[in-house]
Amino acid sequence: MDRPRRGRAARHQPARQPRPPRPRRRADPRPARGAAARPGPARARPAPLDERPALPGPAARRLASLLAESGSELLPQWLGRARDRGFALPPALVPSLLDAARQRSDLRGDAVALAGPLGRWLAGMNPDWRYVLRLPSADEDAHPEARAGADAVWQEGLFAERVTHLTRLRRRDPAAGLALLRSTWRTERAEDRLLFLDALQEGLGAGDEEFLEEALADRAKNVRATAAELLSTLPGSALSERMAARARLAVAVGPEGGLVVEPPAACDTGMQRDGIAPVSPTGRGDRAFWLGEVVAATPLSCWTELLGAPERALALPTAPEWADELHEAWARAAVRQHAADWARALLALHQGRGTSGTQSRLLSVLPSAERAAWTARFVLEQGLAEAFQLLVTCPPPWSEELAEAVLDALARAAAAGAYPWSHSGVLGVAERSLPFAAAARADALAEASSSAWAEVFTRLATTLRTRSAMLAELA
Amino acid sequence: MDDRWTAEHVLSLSPDAASRKAAAELGTADPWSGTGANETAVWGACRGSGSRPYRTVVALDGPAYHCSCPSRKFPCKHALALLLLRSAGELTGAAAPDWADAWLTARRQHADGAASPTASATGPADSPTPAPARDDAAAAARRRRREARVAAGAAELQARLEDQLRGGLADAPTRGQAFWEGVAARMVDAQAPGLAARARELGALPASGGSWPSRLVEEYGLLHLLAAGYQRVDALPAPLAATVRARVGFTVDNAEVLGGGPLIRDRWLVLGSRDSADDRLTTRRLWLHGARSGRLALLLSFGRPGVAPELALPTGLEVDADLAFHPAARPLRAALGSRYAAPVAPTAPGPVGVTLDAALTEYARALGEDPWLESWPTVLTGVTPVPTESGWQLVDATGAVPLRTASLWRLVAASGGRPVTLFGECGHRGFSAVTCWTEAGSLPL
């Protein structure tokens, strides 16, 4: 077999006697012995066995059909639930899952966890799935030696993977996360430093103050500002004390009992070092901007000591030219410091006015039940046109009250002859967040609507039923 | 009820991925009403987009389907969803409604009246459908005329091949395509579609990668051998003559085979199926293995372009049925006769296969009997897909062959680097995998 193989037909005379010849080359597809003599790679070790319970059959078929349609809306929810339940996937579905997560990086965490040891084993053979090896594996918490491998992500991973890794590490061990960030801090690019710094929000604590104080002297302005913002949310940090001192100079209780506001007259080096820009970037006056920055970074406890409960503080008569500025800054502080009492009081002031980014940010500080109730009231009074941002902050499944409010508003829009597509944002959130029981109501609305809206409500009902069936399969 | 088909068996009947998905979505009790099942059939009404629900009934012994929906897919999503409900044990009724009964009864009467009750495989679209033999003399004359034309075509083909060989291979990549297209058209005129197809492939061969000259000469030789064989077809042993005729393009009607040949009744395990489509028709290959006879069989079924062929059997189940083999040097293609029961799960978990070495020996033997064979259907046991420098290979203790499959990673994942049982076609270009068996059951690739 080592001599050059020749096609059988070349040796074979065109047959006058069609006696089947001995078709040597054609009968043997094995690699020629010469090729086999080259040492090929040793046979790969088999994949480690997966100890998790097998996915139930209906759920497996559901996953197969979700993977078959690209960009499925339901896939993220399915993966999250299946991961929480700790199932092992049917091996034959793992390749399509890894392909899907390659296209959509938002799926990667859940997909890699679900693919488990088989996924990592496959990724070792297919460069398309290299990302799997860069993500920390599910069992790294159990095996310290796996952690060393996970730290390779920090050295070699893509930026998004490094952020994920840092965030997870902070969740588990804030000090280790900080140490990891410090180890490469000087060599990171400015825009990366900014986002890594953001990741420190996870598990932020007193141990981070020293590092953040150093970052106040960073070369990049955005990094300085972010460090200052983080420090201002650290209760008792030196920066928030400095800000509180400045704030008390700017805002005081006057002889009439009202608030006297005297914004900073200049932005001194100390203020600049604490992340306040010397020139207003917002289009407001410099002094108004400085006032806002100082108050937003001041611990709210400082005001409760000075003025009493937030409702009372907000009710105090205030110099009209600074009142908006002050309230806006308090709102920012309430969001930064997750102060539900202040957020509640500030939202009460907003009630009945159009929405704004401020409102949805304040909402996100409230407990979710309260958030839903507030949003339901808003939808009832204002309709859906402005409600999208608020609805997004309400975690699924929505309360009955909120679901009713949204469906009522959609019914009103349908009756008024609005275009369905002008509500596509709200409909998208509703598909993801309505409780399954709302399907019956959506059916009834479909019955009562004209064609375009009937189709919208039918699709809404179908999606809700599908989601309900999907989660039941994973129960 | 242990003969219930699993959902995987049902889904292996789907004509395409979209049907699989649609069926899985309809496979909940929600849109259905009046569903039920007995030993031989399942039925139900499914709410669709129209005002009247679709009425669906499936006879399990086919399986054969009837549905009032307008879908051109076969089986339609409603029939598949009904079968899924059955595998989930969610069909309650036991008495078939009148409309279902009417269809089932009509089907039974038709079956009793027809010679080949469920043979739905028809010849390719281009084959002359044999008229009832009203006039044997005229038919024989027509056949003689066609044989003479084919013989003339074969002689012409031999001459063309010899010209090509004399002229050398240097021009093949540039001028070959057009030249062989022309020859193929001549062979179609000569009513030898088999020769035409092989000639057309010669035109594309130089573009198919390295070592093409030796492969081209090999194909020249094989085609020359076929043309020469046809010139002397009457002098050949009958089985070899049948093979030569079939390869040249004479089709034998399934009904004729069922009427003429011995019927072999067996429990036929469905090893797998493959659809391939060209611009003229969709071809479905279904491979079976007889539990008692140990024989392999290939059923062909055809459909119009874009329409799934009618014959669908669930991979991994056993069908108790009569088969009649088309005459050939190496009989493989068969016609499906009476089916005696609905497909059931086999007693053994999977088919019993052979080593790679034994498979190659078997293929070589098959090639000795029919030199034009591309491959031979084979079940391998204990083979592992392994990546090597020259691509993926199947490996066992007796050797290695190149692995060819459209869904490589599904197979690799299912095996996890451990030996599996694999059905596919073992041929001179390696092993082309169709179905894989692991402890979890059968997996169509």
Side-chain angles (χ1 to χ4, degrees):
Chain A
M1 285 283 267
D2 288 345
R3 59 194 155 77
R5 288 171 298 146
R6 292 162 46 207
R8 184 213 61 235
R11 296 197 304 273
H12 182 71
Q13 294 304 306
R16 294 288 155 224
Q17 296 284 327
R19 182 174 43 84
R22 298 185 54 77
R24 178 151 176 198
R25 196 194 76 78
R26 219 171 157 85
D28 198 348
R30 276 175 285 204
R33 208 165 302 152
R38 274 205 315 274
R43 216 190 276 203
R45 279 198 313 191
L49 290 173
D50 200 329
E51 303 295 339
R52 295 174 293 179
L55 191 65
R61 288 191 291 282
R62 170 83 57 185
L63 174 61
S65 72
L66 290 178
L67 289 170
E69 56 171 315
S70 59
S72 160
E73 285 283 330
L74 297 169
L75 193 54
Q77 197 180 10
W78 192 99
L79 295 175
R81 175 64 67 96
R83 179 187 181 174
D84 292 345
R85 304 278 296 111
F87 286 121
L89 300 185
L93 287 177
V94 170
S96 358
L97 176 62
L98 294 181
D99 280 340
R102 184 189 172 206
Q103 316 280 354
R104 299 171 59 178
S105 50
D106 59 311
L107 304 176
R108 285 184 183 181
D110 287 340
V112 170
L114 276 167
L118 178 63
R120 304 181 81 72
W121 180 81
L122 286 168
M125 293 186 286
N126 185 344
D128 286 355
W129 301 328
R130 208 175 288 144
Y131 69 87
V132 175
L133 303 174
R134 287 196 299 255
L135 286 179
S137 72
D139 50 12
E140 72 176 50
D141 301 351
H143 303 290
E145 71 272 13
R147 253 182 238 188
D151 281 355
V153 174
W154 188 250
Q155 306 299 341
E156 302 156 19
L158 301 177
F159 174 69
E161 291 162 354
R162 298 179 69 204
V163 171
T164 309
H165 176 62
L166 179 63
T167 310
R168 284 176 48 118
L169 186 57
R170 285 284 294 185
R171 202 169 301 160
R172 205 176 55 221
D173 183 354
L178 181 66
L180 185 68
L181 182 55
R182 270 181 181 247
S183 69
T184 58
W185 180 251
R186 299 204 175 287
T187 58
E188 306 290 357
R189 298 179 315 168
E191 59 264 40
D192 294 0
R193 285 206 302 277
L194 178 65
L195 288 163
F196 287 140
L197 210 50
D198 260 344
L200 291 187
Q201 283 186 29
E202 191 72 55
L204 189 68
D208 302 315
E209 188 176 356
E210 184 196 349
F211 173 74
L212 291 171
E213 278 283 346
E214 286 168 29
L216 288 176
D218 196 273
R219 295 189 301 277
K221 191 174 65 163
N222 284 340
V223 175
R224 294 200 295 270
T226 306
E229 194 170 324
L230 285 170
L231 281 168
S232 72
T233 64
L234 257 183
S237 72
L239 179 130
S240 53
E241 289 305 319
R242 294 196 291 272
M243 287 291 190
R246 292 179 191 122
R248 279 191 288 265
L249 286 177
V251 182
V253 183
E256 309 291 318
L259 284 181
V260 181
V261 181
E262 183 58 42
C267 186
D268 57 32
T269 49
M271 282 166 71
Q272 288 184 38
R273 190 175 173 281
D274 284 346
I276 300 177
V279 177
S280 162
T282 59
R284 291 187 197 138
D286 284 345
R287 293 187 67 202
F289 169 74
W290 298 328
L291 173 71
E293 291 293 285
V294 166
V295 174
T298 299
L300 287 161
S301 55
C302 164
W303 306 112
T304 19
E305 284 162 27
L306 188 70
L307 311 172
E311 289 77 10
R312 193 171 163 274
L314 290 170
L316 290 173
T318 311
E321 66 271 33
W322 304 116
D324 282 355
E325 216 57 63
L326 195 56
H327 287 174
E328 184 69 27
W330 273 335
R332 280 158 63 199
V335 173
R336 273 193 208 178
Q337 298 166 37
H338 297 284
D341 51 350
W342 279 83
R344 204 170 291 128
L346 284 157
L347 279 167
L349 279 186
H350 280 281
Q351 192 78 50
R353 295 193 228 159
T355 187
S356 67
T358 308
Q359 269 177 312
S360 60
R361 281 196 294 276
L362 285 170
L363 266 188
S364 67
V365 176
L366 296 183
S368 53
E370 205 176 337
R371 233 182 278 178
W374 201 91
T375 308
R377 256 200 323 281
F378 180 95
V379 169
L380 210 61
E381 291 162 11
Q382 317 263 329
L384 292 169
E386 302 287 333
F388 175 73
Q389 276 190 312
L390 304 178
L391 290 170
V392 172
T393 63
C394 298
W398 287 343
S399 68
E400 206 168 316
E401 179 193 20
L402 178 55
E404 277 302 304
V406 170
L407 287 171
D408 284 344
L410 284 170
R412 279 201 304 275
Y419 289 115
W421 48 258
S422 63
H423 291 81
S424 57
V426 170
L427 285 164
V429 191
E431 280 186 356
R432 287 196 299 276
S433 317
L434 280 173
F436 305 142
R441 175 84 201 279
D443 278 336
L445 290 173
E447 291 285 326
S449 306
S450 64
S451 62
W453 278 97
E455 211 168 294
V456 165
F457 287 126
T458 307
R459 196 179 57 232
L460 185 59
T462 312
T463 307
L464 291 175
R465 287 207 180 85
T466 309
R467 271 181 47 222
S468 147
M470 175 179 109
L471 295 178
E473 288 158 3
L474 285 166
Chain B
M1 194 165 158
D2 55 358
D3 67 340
R4 198 181 286 148
W5 311 349
T6 68
E8 278 64 31
H9 291 138
V10 172
L11 289 172
S12 75
L13 296 168
S14 316
D16 54 31
S19 306
R20 248 195 305 280
K21 178 176 179 321
E25 283 180 1
L26 283 176
T28 60
D30 203 28
W32 290 90
S33 56
T35 58
N38 57 25
E39 295 299 300
T40 57
V42 290
W43 56 84
C46 180
R47 202 175 56 234
S49 49
S51 55
R52 298 187 51 189
Y54 298 126
R55 292 169 160 185
T56 314
V57 53
V58 182
L60 295 173
D61 59 352
Y65 318 92
H66 176 72
C67 182
S68 61
C69 77
S71 165
R72 293 174 57 202
K73 291 182 175 169
F74 200 86
C76 70
K77 61 185 179 185
H78 305 104
L80 289 168
L82 257 189
L83 290 169
L84 281 177
L85 287 172
R86 174 174 176 260
S87 40
E90 290 188 23
L91 296 181
T92 45
D98 294 346
W99 53 265
D101 231 335
W103 180 78
L104 291 165
T105 312
R107 185 173 166 272
R108 261 197 309 277
Q109 285 166 349
H110 176 79
D112 295 341
S116 54
T118 46
S120 56
T122 56
D126 61 335
S127 71
T129 43
R134 267 197 318 261
D135 190 349
D136 281 347
R142 261 203 311 279
R143 186 173 172 88
R144 273 196 304 279
R145 273 202 301 278
R146 180 179 173 192
E147 281 171 352
R149 289 171 75 167
V150 172
E156 183 188 345
L157 182 60
Q158 282 175 278
R160 298 284 184 119
L161 282 162
E162 285 158 22
D163 286 349
Q164 287 296 306
L165 221 47
R166 266 193 291 276
L169 302 181
D171 282 343
T174 47
R175 295 188 22 229
Q177 189 89 39
F179 173 81
W180 287 115
E181 280 296 338
V183 175
R186 292 280 306 109
M187 293 303 118
V188 171
D189 292 344
Q191 293 184 296
L195 296 178
R198 287 187 97 92
R200 201 171 289 118
E201 280 170 19
L202 291 179
L205 203 146
S208 66
S211 77
W212 65 263
S214 66
R215 280 183 296 122
L216 184 62
V217 172
E218 197 170 294
E219 294 297 334
Y220 281 178
L222 281 170
L223 189 48
H224 194 280
L225 180 67
L226 183 57
Y230 185 73
Q231 306 291 14
R232 313 178 50 255
V233 72
D234 293 329
L236 297 176
L240 184 58
T243 291
V244 169
R245 280 201 185 89
R247 299 245 173 235
V248 166
F250 286 90
T251 54
V252 184
D253 197 64
N254 268 333
E256 203 178 317
V257 174
L258 285 166
L263 293 178
I264 300 174
R265 180 170 174 180
D266 202 340
R267 297 197 319 277
W268 298 97
L269 172 68
V270 184
L271 291 171
S273 75
R274 265 274 179 278
D275 286 4
S276 56
D278 61 21
D279 45 10
R280 288 180 311 124
L281 78 170
T282 312
T283 306
R284 172 168 298 165
R285 291 178 167 69
L286 277 160
W287 291 274
L288 309 173
H289 180 265
R292 280 189 299 272
S293 65
R295 292 186 69 165
L296 284 159
L298 167 66
L299 303 179
L300 292 181
S301 172
F302 302 93
R304 293 192 307 282
V307 180
E310 290 216 347
L311 181 65
L313 293 172
T315 296
L317 292 184
E318 265 182 358
V319 189
D320 182 2
D322 285 335
L323 247 56
F325 282 84
H326 285 243
R330 182 108 187 154
L332 178 67
R333 189 179 167 192
L336 183 59
S338 303
R339 288 180 250 180
Y340 297 99
V344 293
T347 42
V352 177
V354 296
T355 63
L356 273 173
D357 193 55
L360 291 170
T361 308
E362 180 63 14
Y363 168 63
R365 193 175 301 139
L367 207 50
E369 292 170 6
D370 176 356
W372 301 280
L373 268 182
E374 289 288 318
S375 58
W376 188 251
T378 308
V379 179
L380 297 173
T381 297
V383 286
T384 312
V386 170
T388 71
E389 288 168 4
S390 50
W392 283 81
Q393 299 195 339
L394 287 175
V395 176
D396 71 2
T398 65
V401 298
L403 166 65
R404 299 164 63 231
T405 167
S407 31
L408 169 74
W409 290 107
R410 276 166 54 100
L411 172 58
V412 173
S415 109
R418 294 178 183 81
V420 293
T421 295
L422 202 57
F423 166 73
E425 293 181 289
C426 184
H428 60 95
R429 284 178 299 178
F431 189 89
S432 160
V434 176
T435 310
C436 164
W437 277 265
T438 61
E439 283 157 14
S442 62
L443 172 73
L445 293 170

